[in-house]
Amino acid sequence: MSQRDELRIAIVGAGFSGLLTAVNLLQASPAVRVTLIERRGVFGPGTAYDTGNPQHLLNVRLDNMSAFPDRPRHLSDWLAEQPSWRAQDGFITRGVYGDYLQSLLDAALDDAPERLTLIGAEARTLDRLDDGWRIGTSDGEIVVDQVVLALGNLEPASPPGVDDAVRASPAYVENPWRLDAASVEGARNVLLIGSGLTMVDAALTLRRPGRRFTALSRHGLLPRAHAVAPPAPFVGAFAGGPAEVLRQVRAATDQADWRAVFDRLRQSAQALWRGWSPVERRRFLRHLRPLWDVHRHRLSPGAARDIHSMLAGGELTVLAGKLTELKAADVIEVAWRPRGRRRPIRDRFDLVVNCTGPLGSIGQSVEPMIRDLLQKGHGRPDPLGLGLQVDDEGRLLDAAGHSAQGLHAIGPLTRGAFWEMTAVPDLRGQARDLARRILAQG
């Protein structure tokens, strides 16, 4: 503890990870003061759940979406007290879940208003002090004892062939989460770069009579769907390197529903990842990650029905190939090479939306806080560049490889160490454990 007999903690990022870390800290100790810093000025829901679109459903059933791993009915009990909400096949809308997270923030403010401060500003710089850290924001400076980086997914990756002229075009959208559907009403021929969950969100958001979508990705794979009813659990185990695990998964799916097999595999994913050598991890990312992504990150049954309807009706076409060039004109001229071919195909689109997902190499991030801490040596990329390198306690490793006292990361920034750290069932446990470790360390 500091000399003031209180522990001052700043959490940069106020989405799910940041909010739940704050809530766990405040509930565990009356001697904690937490400052939540969020550049969007929206605290609690985060980008993922700050949506009013009723077609945006959670990708996990509500019975596994409680914010607290030791209180599995917390979400369902909250829903029982709400006047109205919408669900399909056990999947509630993301907007409703955002309201749930907002209720957690409101409760924390009611219970300890003097111990929780919200700052709507961008955290830009980080400096080590003798007894803590100084954070420079777009609205001033904050001095605290410890810092938690809960930045969530990094900004979208930039596809190949996108230059400044394309980015400046109103017919190109770099970040689909900032897409204003009303501003592109005239678009009839739309290219979605990517074919994962982000593409599905964009397609459902932009779906209009007469509009046609083309989704282009390297492998042309769509996310698989959850079953309408949960399958019987699979009780097997997995061990070995990526190739061995793949063989075990294929054998298991001959005996059980593949969804149950992957649910069981997910429970072992962190242990497997941590046991693999750097070579095995790279092999998995190069050869098996596309298969992992489409089976692991699934669509709700309702969203899957909508996408299959678009495919059947010709509204959506999914192609496998590599984007090679984009040119800005009155529309966007696109060149892409089909998978297995050398000669490119050229086409024109009224609108192009980048749906490639979060940036895959943290060294290319333009986030001011990440650029600053890497430049100053407070942190370093993990060996695969997936995020920041952390120790087993979640503390950043500095440029010399030493654990940075009082500087922690949570969520997707820790993928290099833990791999599976993006969904609520993973993040809620990480937030609880991180809060406990911070309080134990003082």
Side-chain angles (χ1 to χ4, degrees), residues 115-133:
R115 296 195 293 121
L116 177 59
T117 301
L118 308 182
I119 295 180
E122 181 178 54
R124 295 175 175 173
T125 62
L126 186 64
D127 292 292
R128 189 77 168 97
L129 305 177
D130 291 339
D131 58 351
W133 296 88

Side-chain angles (χ1 to χ4, degrees), residues 207-408:
R207 190 181 188 186
R208 301 287 189 279
R211 182 171 285 170
R212 295 291 180 267
F213 298 90
T214 300
L216 174 67
S217 68
R218 286 291 188 94
H219 299 88
L221 298 174
L222 283 171
R224 305 307 194 256
H226 284 279
V228 174
F234 176 72
V235 295
F238 305 95
E244 290 82 1
V245 171
L246 178 60
R247 285 193 291 268
Q248 294 162 16
V249 167
R250 285 174 170 167
T253 55
D254 290 337
Q255 307 297 324
D257 188 292
W258 67 264
R259 300 170 184 85
V261 173
F262 266 81
D263 289 343
R264 183 70 182 91
L265 177 60
R266 176 185 168 186
Q267 297 174 18
S268 308
Q270 287 188 27
L272 288 169
W273 178 262
R274 291 173 70 80
W276 287 347
S277 68
V279 171
E280 288 175 317
R281 292 181 182 182
R282 289 189 179 91
R283 189 176 298 138
F284 168 82
L285 294 174
R286 185 181 305 115
H287 300 294
L288 298 180
R289 183 176 183 177
L291 291 175
W292 169 266
D293 285 346
V294 298
H295 289 86
R296 161 67 182 88
H297 303 290
R298 299 173 216 154
L299 295 172
S300 68
R305 287 191 291 268
D306 289 338
I307 288 299
H308 291 157
S309 173
M310 294 179 69
L311 289 167
E315 293 177 77
L316 172 64
T317 301
V318 179
L319 302 173
K322 180 180 180 181
L323 191 68
T324 59
E325 186 180 23
L326 287 86
K327 289 184 178 180
D330 54 331
V331 295
I332 301 292
E333 299 178 357
V334 176
W336 66 282
R337 188 171 66 248
R339 189 172 174 83
R341 299 184 183 180
R342 294 184 177 181
R343 300 185 65 179
I345 294 175
R346 297 185 179 275
D347 207 340
R348 294 161 62 90
F349 294 91
D350 304 317
L351 178 67
V352 176
V353 183
N354 174 25
C355 301
T356 55
L359 186 68
S361 176
I362 197 165
Q364 299 176 9
S365 175
V366 296
E367 292 276 356
M369 175 63 80
I370 291 178
R371 300 305 308 168
D372 185 72
L373 71 88
L374 290 177
Q375 182 180 4
K376 293 175 179 174
H378 298 318
R380 66 182 188 182
D382 68 71
L384 297 173
L386 297 174
L388 296 172
Q389 193 167 10
V390 298
D391 63 15
D392 291 341
E393 301 285 304
R395 292 173 299 193
L396 267 66
L397 299 188
D398 62 22
H402 302 132
S403 296
Q405 186 64 36
L407 181 57
H408 316 265

Side-chain angles (χ1 to χ4, degrees), residues 11 36 42 51 233 290 325 332 360 399:
I11 301 175
L36 274 175
V42 178
T51 173
E325 186 180 23
I332 301 292

